[in-house]
Amino acid sequence: LALAGSLGVRDRVHTVPRTGEDGTHPHDPRFLASADLGLVCARRTSQRELTLPDECAAYLRAGLPLVVGEVRTAREHVAAHGAGVVFDPEETGSLAEAVREATASLGVLMRRITEPVREELSWGHQAAGLLDLYREITGHEPVPTPVSEPVPEPETADRKPETATLDAAAAATSEAVPSPAAPRGWAKLSSTPVRLGLGPANYAGQLASFARAVCDARPDVSAEVFTATSSDSFGYPSDVLLDNRRLNRLDVQLDQVRRVLGGYTHLLADAFRPVLGTLNGNHIAGDLPALRRAGIKVALLAHGSEVRHPLRHMEQHPHSLFHDAPEGLTEALVKKAERNRDVAEQSGLPLFATTPDLLDDLPPWAVWAPLVIDVNAWACDRPVLRRRRPVVLHAPSKRWTKGTERVLPVLQDLHERGAIDFRLAEGVPWPRMRDMVRDADIVVDQFAVGSYGTFGCEGMAAGKPVVAFLSEAVAKAVGSEVPVVNTTAEELRPALESLLDDREEAARLGTAAADFARAHHDGRRTAQVLNRFLSS
């Protein structure tokens, strides 16, 4: 700058401020686009050799051809796209020549900055690659770090705070935040006659799916999903994330009081967990008096182990999952199931269960609200059982809950004999699991519960023959025959061999399964089931 001043050209040298005059980031394309060339005086360092300088991406996004020091990554990018000129960073004359060359061919260079070039360097494109890497390394769907945000006042509950920067300092004092996970797909909470809150467990993203289904069916409903998260959460769509570790903090609890009591007309509370943090204890029962006084209509939603009674289940099913439960867990689940049933009976609240077998463990007025999946997202027109070695997929979330150890010997033996190509998927993130299901010929679900779950629904939606153990209660609740190969772990081998021997019949079963998934699990039936509660 001093040299420019001494030469009388200081007014022609523009430095980029930390923040533009209009408050924008200095790399905002609108700020940069008024220039002709983007100059990057990169020297040869190990970092510069391996990474494209940030300025290169910023300039190209603004449509500026590059004049860039000759470091490997920048040189390769210019060679690949032709949108710039490279110079020797150690030679002043080389820089001057590069600027003259770029200025002379400015129009040609600008035309080479195509939309695909810009998109490749966008944060959205780069983030997708990073998220795939995180999924591969951890086996989990990334969960956004919560940051502190104010809770909207009741009269402005239709507004959501903007997603904030996710930094470690903010995370240290976080409470609740909007979730930037997957697109929500449900009507944003607003001044509709029915303002539905759903939370806090959101197991397998089912509350998010319920919110979509209800809002699709009823224009008078808007919804907000709030989810209590932990380090091993899968990052399912949600409006608000609550850190499990901070639910005992008074400020978090009061924020939830304002959010729930001041914002909702109806509340679907799942897994019998509290909805006001731990202000009134660790159970929904403690929150019910406040919810009643606020005039909020509450319904309870059961998912599984919180109401499935282990002793009854073991009596009815010789190969119950509870025979294989970790030490001490069965006793704890007995206490939980009995308490939850008592609360359900004493409260008399509307009660729903996501799987039909759970109706045996609930009061007689409980209703099956079918699991909801995006049927179109799982649909697949790939023919099944056309390969010599059909792909058989089994994906246990926890082995003991699926009876995995009982069926692995059969599946591995058939694989080693060349009869099937067996694939065991554990800890696989949702996007990759969908690809694996679509590529499979047969989906092997569970043999220890007595009902099909989310994985079984997804397999059916993909048009795959699904093999699982179903109890009599399932067919009774569904009201029609479930197109699943119903077998036990002991009979799995002949069941699979039957599918392999009659491949046309197996393909017909897959088609029937896809029709069944669309009829029962695309959300329409669930929305109908919830209608009476939402209309009250």
Side-chain angles (χ1 to χ4, degrees):
L1 294 178
L3 177 61
S6 67
L7 295 174
V9 293
R10 178 64 184 84
D11 61 325
R12 294 169 58 191
V13 179
H14 302 271
T15 58
V16 178
R18 283 292 178 187
T19 304
E21 294 178 2
D22 61 351
T24 61
H25 188 277
H27 284 177
D28 190 309
R30 294 170 297 178
F31 183 90
L32 300 175
S34 60
D36 296 310
L37 296 173
L39 174 60
V40 184
C41 300
R43 292 181 179 271
R44 296 187 182 99
T45 66
S46 57
Q47 179 180 353
R48 291 297 198 185
E49 291 285 348
L50 294 174
T51 63
L52 188 70
D54 290 344
E55 296 87 350
C56 289
Y59 290 148
L60 290 171
R61 291 278 292 168
L64 304 185
L66 301 177
V67 177
V68 61
E70 187 179 3
V71 292
R72 189 181 74 187
T73 307
R75 181 183 69 244
E76 292 174 351
H77 193 277
V78 168
H81 301 290
V85 180
V86 175
F87 66 92
D88 183 345
E90 306 299 329
E91 295 290 338
T92 305
S94 178
L95 167 60
E97 180 60 33
V99 171
R100 281 193 291 269
E101 179 184 344
T103 302
S105 55
L106 192 60
V108 174
L109 296 178
M110 293 180 68
R111 286 193 292 273
R112 291 172 180 168
I113 307 174
T114 61
E115 190 57 37
V117 171
R118 288 190 175 96
E119 175 60 26
E120 181 185 23
L121 297 170
S122 69
W123 171 239
H125 180 86
Q126 299 295 323
L130 289 173
L131 292 176
D132 285 342
L133 176 63
Y134 298 155
R135 293 182 184 104
E136 179 179 350
I137 292 172
T138 67
H140 295 298
E141 194 74 16
V143 178
T145 303
V147 294
S148 181
E149 288 285 352
V151 178
E153 293 299 322
E155 64 269 20
T156 59
D158 57 322
R159 298 203 309 267
K160 294 288 184 299
E162 304 243 340
T163 300
T165 303
L166 307 177
D167 60 33
T173 59
S174 64
E175 287 91 37
V177 293
S179 165
R184 301 178 321 157
W186 55 88
K188 187 177 182 180
L189 196 69
S190 62
S191 57
T192 51
V194 178
R195 300 187 299 279
L196 174 63
L198 306 94
N202 198 20
Y203 292 139
Q206 279 302 298
L207 292 186
S209 298
F210 274 39
R212 291 191 193 100
V214 168
C215 291
D216 283 347
R218 295 186 50 153
D220 63 330
V221 177
S222 59
E224 183 171 78
V225 178
F226 59 96
T227 306
T229 66
S230 58
S231 59
D232 60 351
S233 298
F234 281 84
Y236 295 110
S238 182
D239 291 296
V240 177
L241 301 179
L242 301 166
D243 189 335
N244 269 322
R245 298 167 299 178
R246 296 180 171 85
L247 295 181
N248 61 345
R249 286 175 38 167
L250 183 60
D251 54 343
V252 176
Q253 296 161 359
L254 293 179
D255 282 346
Q256 273 299 99
V257 168
R258 287 193 292 268
R259 174 176 292 110
V260 175
L261 303 189
Y264 308 151
T265 61
H266 293 68
L267 173 68
L268 185 61
D270 66 336
F272 290 79
R273 294 177 59 178
V275 298
L276 304 178
T278 56
L279 180 65
N280 301 306
N282 294 311
H283 196 275
I284 185 63
D287 290 338
L288 290 180
L291 295 168
R292 289 193 183 99
R293 286 194 296 271
I296 297 174
K297 297 176 173 62
V298 180
L300 304 175
L301 178 66
H303 291 287
S305 60
E306 79 275 20
V307 296
R308 187 178 286 115
H309 198 289
L311 300 182
R312 185 200 62 78
H313 199 269
M314 287 190 285
E315 288 176 1
Q316 292 190 350
H317 306 299
H319 302 294
S320 166
L321 71 161
F322 297 110
H323 290 297
D324 300 321
E327 185 176 356
L329 183 58
T330 296
E331 292 77 9
L333 290 177
V334 166
K335 293 179 181 178
K336 178 184 285 189
E338 290 179 348
R339 179 187 183 184
N340 289 341
R341 177 166 182 134
D342 287 345
V343 169
E345 289 179 336
Q346 293 168 15
S347 69
L349 293 171
L351 183 58
F352 304 98
T354 54
T355 60
D357 62 304
L358 295 177
L359 298 180
D360 286 346
D361 293 286
L362 295 171
W365 64 84
V367 180
W368 178 43
L371 292 163
V372 177
I373 63 170
D374 186 345
V375 173
N376 292 329
W378 289 88
C380 175
D381 57 5
R382 190 173 303 164
V384 299
L385 294 158
R386 295 285 182 87
R387 291 172 279 206
R388 185 184 66 82
R389 290 184 65 183
V391 173
V392 176
L393 178 65
H394 179 54
S397 51
K398 296 183 179 67
R399 290 193 177 194
W400 70 272
T401 66
K402 297 275 190 171
T404 299
E405 299 299 342
R406 300 194 196 112
V407 299
L408 270 183
V410 172
L411 296 168
Q412 291 170 339
D413 178 63
L414 291 173
H415 176 85
E416 291 167 2
R417 287 170 43 205
I420 65 172
D421 179 4
F422 171 53
R423 299 176 186 176
L424 180 65
E426 295 182 290
V428 176
W430 181 85
R432 189 169 302 170
M433 179 62 71
R434 183 172 61 174
D435 291 338
M436 294 182 73
V437 169
R438 285 170 150 181
D439 188 52
D441 292 289
I442 299 172
V443 168
V444 174
D445 191 6
Q446 61 73 36
F447 302 90
V449 176
S451 183
Y452 61 92
T454 305
F455 180 58
C457 290
E458 293 162 350
M460 286 191 282
K464 313 299 179 181
V466 174
V467 185
F469 167 63
L470 305 182
S471 68
E472 294 180 2
V474 172
K476 180 180 177 182
V478 172
S480 62
E481 185 176 350
V482 183
V484 166
V485 178
N486 188 1
T487 188
T488 62
E490 290 70 26
E491 297 298 319
L492 176 61
R493 184 186 297 272
L496 287 175
E497 290 175 343
S498 177
L499 290 172
L500 298 177
D501 290 342
D502 191 347
R503 300 192 177 200
E504 289 187 5
E505 178 59 30
R508 284 193 290 271
L509 179 64
T511 300
D515 293 340
F516 178 88
R518 189 168 296 278
H520 295 275
H521 296 287
D522 69 352
R524 290 174 297 169
R525 179 168 179 175
T526 303
Q528 291 174 353
V529 168
L530 295 175
N531 259 339
R532 184 174 180 182
F533 159 61
L534 295 174
S535 300
S536 61

